[in-house]
Amino acid sequence: MPTALDGLRVVDFSDSLAGQYCARLLADFGADVTLIEPVEGSAIRRMQPFSVTEPNLSLHFWHLNAGKRSIVVDRADAERRDAMLAAADVAILPEDFDPQRVERLNPGCIAASVSAFGRDGPLEDWRGPEIVLQALSGMMNNNGAYGHEPLYGVGNRASYAAGLATCIGILVALHERHSSNLGQVVSVDAAETAAAMCFPYVMRHIYNGSIHTRQDQTIPAGQVKCRDGWVCIWIYNHRWHAVCTALDLPHLENDPRFAEPAVRRANWETLYEIIQEKVTDQCAEELVERLQKAQVIAAKAYRPSEQLQNGHLNDRNYWEKADGRLILGTPYRMSVTPRKVASGAPALGEANGKIAWTPPERIPPRQSSPRLPLEGLRVIEITTAWAGPMAGRVLAYFGAQSIHVESPNRVNSWRLNREKPNPINFPDGEAGSRPFDRSFLFNSQNVNKLSCILNLKTEEGRKTLRRLVAVADVLICNFRPGTLAKLGLDYESLAAIKSDIIVAELPAFGGRGPMSSYAALGPTMEMATGMSAMMGYPGGQPENSGPSYLDPIGGFNAAAAILMALYHRDRTGEGQYIEVPQVEAAMQFIGAELLLAAETGGDPPPDGNRVLHMAPHDAFPARGEDQWVVIAAEDHRQWVALCAAMGRPELASDPRFSDLAARKRNEAELTSIICEWTAIRDKHAVARLLQYAGVAAAPVANAADVAASTYLAYRGFFTELDHPDAGRHRHPGLPIHLSRTPGSQRRAAPQFGGHNQHVLRHILAFSACDIDRISKSDAMAAVPFPDG
């Protein structure tokens, strides 16, 4: 079978997780990728953790570089580097390489530059390990228990997200190059990417000045410990009867402590104590299955060591091998151009002298390039909440016409939930007469789109959608598997209407397998990956990264997969079906940790923010209510600099702290000393002082801090947009920057049904009579149905 990126030549000069993950995604789907390494090898080869069976093999390097070749090039050998750049379609560059040089050498090459904070700007000299990136993003402010230090998460997920964002930028530029024959520079910052992945509390703050805190109980969920693991149970008000029935606790349904939603929230801890007593001796997977059958969202927090024997993953043949060693399965299942991993990670310099670097024949550039790189592409979104809309948002940002097809009787939960509208969701705290057009949630994620309301329970609604499919390029759906088929809109039916259509579905657990029918949200998907089990306080329950960390990751993964399919279609005219199982795709972000657990059968015990290779590495209290600053001494030099900055230079040579091993042994005492210094100081001032001294540090930013960020402002992250119901406000953006054909936020999110007439008249060219008939029928609406 063909691969999506056949014939694409990529040179990977990067020495970072982000750059090498980007190149790995391209290699997985057919690109010819060569890793260009210095004489001593890539720094990733020396990064923990290491295989226990091959002690010199970094599992990060193995995970990120399968399918690539390796060539060693001396840093001083500019002539050889230039020859490689002149022959490449895509060059992924190190932070210190000028991308403009690539443009001069090879005008058709796409040069990708990915770094922590960018080549210029207010934070260009800052150090950015994962804990710093998460602190600045606003994400960390949501994580962990009030009264305890906030948690940064696990692994290096900001870097992986930046690599995924860079891959998206490259694929967008490749599509544009198909018409112009010109390359351009793709720039991505991990810090800006982390901010884009954060739940949009910054938009809520911009709307009404509110600041989300860890004291706010906004998630109707809790955890209980079964005999073999933790389970998260979501208790939505409309599922209260189902919860009581599934747990065999019928007497709770009318218990005065829990019968009404407001009272139930006030007695939340008591409720979960009762549930805990009930389930202590039960099997976690059986409990989840029983709850899911009752349509109650629940998930087990799988430990990384359980994933190799995970029944659902194994039913889907997830795990694979390359050169006899374990690798993670494909992030996207593509019907025409599936993933093909040619080999495991290469030995240093194994391809030296084996590759001819012959520049391709240069094709003259064309002058008819569109202003936006995806201009002319039409997308239909049958999506809700965040993951699916994020995929469409990325495509719309770069110029695609995205038509958000919405239901009048099952309204997008980010527009309108089933409970009384909460004033905190709206501009100035006012729901207004059309609260479904004023929610910060929906309005943050649906910029640049059109809204068309179609009741797909009616034949007229389905018929109209089929007419839209006939003039579309892409259809995105993030409802449960089988939703499209139930509507008579399965891929085969859609392809019969438009043979080259690209259809992408985003089922949490995939389209088949024991868990395929399970409903999921970002936090429950995070538990299913193995991430949550590695996060938490010593001896405590698994934790999550804020409300919905995996949703935007799922959206980015879907956008990347769609763009790969589009690259294939540009060359062959062939569409295809894509399944993006969001849990499996997100597991890539902790690939090294999963591979280590598969080898050892063990799991790292949750230990707050502490890690084995740095000390200190934690969040420390600062002046003010629940204010924190993160500090991470990445090496001995930074430790010495930290001691000097605190006015305690003698600590650097103190036997308790003089080297990493000593600091780890005495970490509690070290933490106490640093806390005493930070607690009376402003978090921003501490971070600036330490970064100036060369120590990785950052304030744990809340929504107000993110909104006021000079770094994000410099990057152009916020765009002021006018909304007819919500007013004029700044909107958070996306972190992918193209030098010649950049994306943009051009108009605010659409009103509910605000483009019904435009779609019927200008896109479908219906007659005035048909427009009037459909508009007056129950197939279309301009406000939600009363029972919606």
Side-chain angles (χ1 to χ4, degrees), residues 242-266:
V243 169
C244 295
T245 302
L247 291 173
D248 193 25
L249 293 169
H251 62 283
L252 292 186
E253 186 167 0
N254 296 311
D255 188 310
R257 296 172 297 172
F258 314 122
E260 296 299 323
V263 179
R264 185 158 62 244
R265 281 294 179 92

Side-chain angles (χ1 to χ4, degrees), residues 555-774:
F556 267 41
N557 272 309
I562 290 165
L563 289 162
M564 288 179 184
L566 183 63
Y567 182 82
H568 175 75
R569 194 184 79 163
D570 285 342
R571 294 175 298 129
T572 66
E574 192 173 28
Q576 62 182 301
Y577 174 79
I578 305 166
E579 178 189 282
V580 183
Q582 293 187 62
V583 169
E584 293 170 17
M587 285 169 67
Q588 298 287 334
F589 282 38
I590 53 168
E593 291 82 359
L594 291 174
L595 292 173
L596 180 65
E599 279 194 18
T600 64
D603 298 297
D607 195 16
N609 295 308
R610 295 177 180 179
V611 295
L612 294 176
H613 57 287
M614 294 185 223
H617 183 280
D618 212 336
F620 301 91
R623 188 174 64 230
E625 175 70 14
D626 201 30
Q627 300 297 304
W628 301 82
V629 59
V630 300
I631 302 172
E634 299 174 279
D635 53 34
H636 186 72
R637 186 198 60 77
Q638 289 192 32
W639 163 241
V640 173
L642 171 61
C643 295
M646 291 194 299
R648 299 287 304 276
E650 74 281 0
L651 292 176
S653 56
D654 188 313
R656 296 171 298 170
F657 312 124
S658 57
D659 60 23
L660 176 60
R663 292 196 296 278
K664 291 300 295 181
R665 286 194 303 270
N666 298 286
E667 200 154 15
E669 193 172 354
L670 173 61
T671 298
S672 178
I673 292 169
I674 298 175
C675 285
E676 185 178 352
W677 180 70
T678 61
I680 59 173
R681 289 171 168 80
D682 175 75
K683 64 183 181 180
H684 300 282
V686 170
R688 287 193 298 267
L689 171 68
L690 293 181
Q691 285 281 1
Y692 182 77
V695 181
V700 176
N702 59 28
D705 297 323
V706 174
S709 168
T710 56
Y711 161 74
L712 291 175
Y714 185 85
R715 281 288 172 267
F717 185 69
F718 295 102
T719 307
E720 281 204 357
L721 298 171
D722 280 308
H723 189 287
D725 288 285
R728 185 173 181 84
H729 298 93
R730 293 187 302 151
H731 289 62
L734 294 174
I736 308 164
H737 304 278
L738 273 61
S739 62
R740 191 168 51 77
T741 60
S744 63
Q745 300 193 124
R746 301 171 296 283
R747 60 175 176 269
Q751 294 172 291
F752 188 85
H755 299 94
N756 287 349
Q757 300 297 307
H758 176 86
V759 169
L760 296 178
R761 180 175 294 111
H762 298 291
I763 296 177
L764 297 180
F766 278 14
S767 69
C769 181
D770 282 341
I771 292 172
D772 186 62
R773 175 179 55 80
I774 295 170

Side-chain angles (χ1 to χ4, degrees), residues 8 22 26 90 92 110 112 165-175 186:
L8 189 72
C22 169
L26 299 175
V90 175
I92 302 172
I110 292 152
T166 306
C167 180
I168 290 170
I170 288 169
L171 293 166
V172 169
L174 283 168
H175 175 74
V186 176

